[in-house]
């Protein structure tokens, strides 16, 4: 039973980690808590399903189109909701509240135009399963885990090995100085939101196929656990986001199996509180030194 719950926790944690990577990207560049991330995740899952049901064509094609739309939603969040706030030097609290409002708009949009009930979801990545002892590992779980590893490597290369990644890091350190050095700060921030929304869309689709269902309320709980995963690993750290997501997924799965499934949503935040009490910057976070 332990091995089975460990495998289930790794699959669940991989989903949290995937969204937390995008969350950490936005916070790392803009120092902004994006509360719309959970809603964008849910929207991505619905878009893949709706496009597939409507056109009945290749699911991969519909999936790619859904990611493009999700990326545009991420761009709209920055362009229409946040860019004006940066021009007026609004506080980060205003930006946080704005992302909450944007997320609420997405939730109501899905409820009105797609569905306000739980709907079935096809699992096209179910190619069977195999046993390790008494534990069963499905192809869906393996694909989810491998997707996280691949995306972590790609995002790490993007941030630390490319010109756009250098621009992201420069913007994160000092946006005004980066602008003076010729960096298109608004373009960098918009690109970060696009990447974050695409990663959320990938997660929403994988979760829908994993549980074979989706509903418009799923974004809130996932969004809160994603934030917990990012804080646990160290906000702004990509490896930390993955580690935090995996830890929360494993703890949630084991706690639901050995204690009570009724409290599974509380386990993640219990772990978060314990870690932050002893490691305020998270597992991989670095203490920020301010020069005076």
């Amino acid at each position: 039973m332990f091995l089975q719950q460990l495998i289930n926790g790794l699959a669940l944690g991989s989903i949290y980690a995937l969204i937390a990577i995008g969350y950490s990207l936005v916070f790392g560049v803009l120092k902004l808590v994006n509360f719309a991330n959970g809603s964008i995740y849910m929207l991505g899952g619905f878009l893949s399903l709706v496009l597939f049901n409507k056109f009945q064509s290749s699911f991969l094609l519909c999936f790619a189109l859904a990611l493009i739309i999700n990326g545009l939603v991420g761009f709209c969040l920055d362009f229409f909701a946040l860019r004006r706030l940066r021009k007026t030097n609004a506080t980060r609290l205003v930006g946080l509240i704005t992302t909450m409002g944007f997320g609420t708009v997405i939730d109501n949009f899905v409820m009105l135009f797609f569905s306000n009930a739980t709907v079935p979801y096809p699992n096209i990545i179910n190619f069977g399963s195999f046993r390790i002892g008494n534990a069963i590992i499905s192809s869906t779980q393996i694909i989810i885990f491998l997707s996280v590893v691949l995306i972590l490597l790609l995002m790490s290369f993007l941030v630390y090995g490319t010109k756009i990644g250098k621009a992201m890091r420069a913007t994160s350190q000092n946006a005004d100085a980066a602008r003076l050095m010729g960096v298109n700060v608004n373009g960098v921030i918009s690109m970060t939101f696009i990447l974050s929304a695409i990663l959320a869309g990938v997660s929403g689709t994988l979760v829908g196929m994993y549980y074979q269902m989706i509903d418009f309320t799923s974004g809130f709980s996932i969004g809160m656990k994603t934030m917990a995963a990012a804080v646990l690993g160290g906000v702004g750290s990509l490896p930390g986001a993955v580690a935090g997501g995996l830890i929360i997924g494993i703890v949630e799965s084991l706690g639901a199996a050995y204690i009570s499934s009724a409290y599974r949503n509380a386990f993640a935040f219990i772990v978060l509180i314990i870690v932050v009490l002893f490691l305020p910057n998270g597992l991989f976070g670095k203490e920020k030194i301010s020069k005076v």
Side-chain angles (χ1 to χ4, degrees):
M1 183 176 178
F2 174 81
L3 181 58
Q4 183 67 68
Q5 295 305 322
L6 182 62
I7 293 170
N8 294 342
L10 284 173
L12 185 62
S14 296
I15 293 166
Y16 296 156
L18 196 56
I19 313 173
I21 291 174
Y23 179 94
S24 292
L25 280 175
V26 170
F27 189 91
V29 172
L30 203 55
K31 300 297 183 290
L32 174 71
V33 178
N34 181 14
F35 272 106
N37 210 34
S39 299
I40 295 174
Y41 143 88
M42 178 268 300
L43 176 65
F46 263 104
L47 285 173
S48 295
L49 177 63
V50 170
L51 290 172
F52 180 67
N53 288 339
K54 182 174 181 60
F55 297 109
Q56 292 296 316
S57 58
S58 168
F59 188 89
L60 290 178
L61 180 62
C62 296
F63 175 55
L65 182 58
L67 294 186
I68 292 173
I69 298 174
N70 237 43
L72 289 174
V73 172
F75 173 79
C76 289
L77 169 58
D78 176 58
F79 188 83
F80 295 108
L82 298 175
R83 187 168 296 190
R84 176 64 180 173
L85 299 181
R86 293 197 297 272
K87 288 182 179 179
T88 57
N89 292 320
T91 63
R92 290 172 185 167
L93 178 61
V94 176
L96 184 150
I97 295 172
T98 301
T99 63
M100 292 178 65
F102 196 89
T104 302
V105 170
I106 293 175
D107 292 342
N108 283 270
F109 174 84
V110 172
M111 181 179 64
L112 290 173
F113 293 98
F114 293 159
S115 176
N116 60 354
T118 302
V119 294
Y121 211 103
N123 186 357
I124 67 163
I125 57 174
N126 183 14
F127 304 113
S129 59
F130 61 93
R131 287 182 174 271
I132 297 180
N134 292 325
I136 299 175
I137 303 177
S138 69
S139 60
T140 306
Q141 292 173 322
I142 295 174
I143 290 173
I144 289 174
F145 184 76
L146 292 179
S147 297
V148 172
V149 174
L150 177 61
I151 288 175
L152 174 61
L153 293 175
L154 290 174
M155 289 298 103
S156 297
F157 173 74
L158 174 71
V159 173
Y160 300 107
T162 66
K163 191 173 181 179
I164 183 67
K166 186 180 292 186
M168 286 180 177
R169 287 181 282 127
T171 302
S172 174
Q173 290 179 8
N174 191 318
D176 292 331
R179 189 177 289 109
L180 291 173
M181 296 301 293
V183 175
N184 183 352
V185 171
N186 283 331
V188 168
I189 294 173
S190 292
M191 177 60 68
T192 305
F193 273 96
I194 291 171
L195 289 174
S196 177
I198 289 175
L199 293 180
V202 172
S203 304
T205 303
L206 290 176
V207 171
M209 290 189 288
Y210 183 61
Y211 289 112
Q212 299 186 46
M213 62 180 183
I214 191 171
D215 66 85
F216 81 100
T217 63
S218 60
F220 177 77
S221 61
I222 287 286
M224 296 301 293
K225 292 176 185 177
T226 297
M227 184 174 65
V231 174
L232 176 61
V235 180
S237 169
L238 300 186
V242 174
L246 293 177
I247 291 171
I248 285 181
I250 292 172
V251 169
E252 181 180 330
S253 182
L254 293 177
Y258 289 102
I259 301 177
S260 173
S261 60
Y263 303 108
R264 65 182 306 149
N265 290 330
F267 297 133
F269 296 98
I270 292 173
V271 173
L272 174 66
I273 292 170
I274 294 173
V275 170
V276 170
L277 284 174
F278 297 98
L279 295 171
N281 297 307
L283 298 175
F284 289 81
K286 297 180 180 179
E287 185 176 358
K288 185 176 180 181
I289 300 175
S290 299
K291 295 182 179 180
V292 296

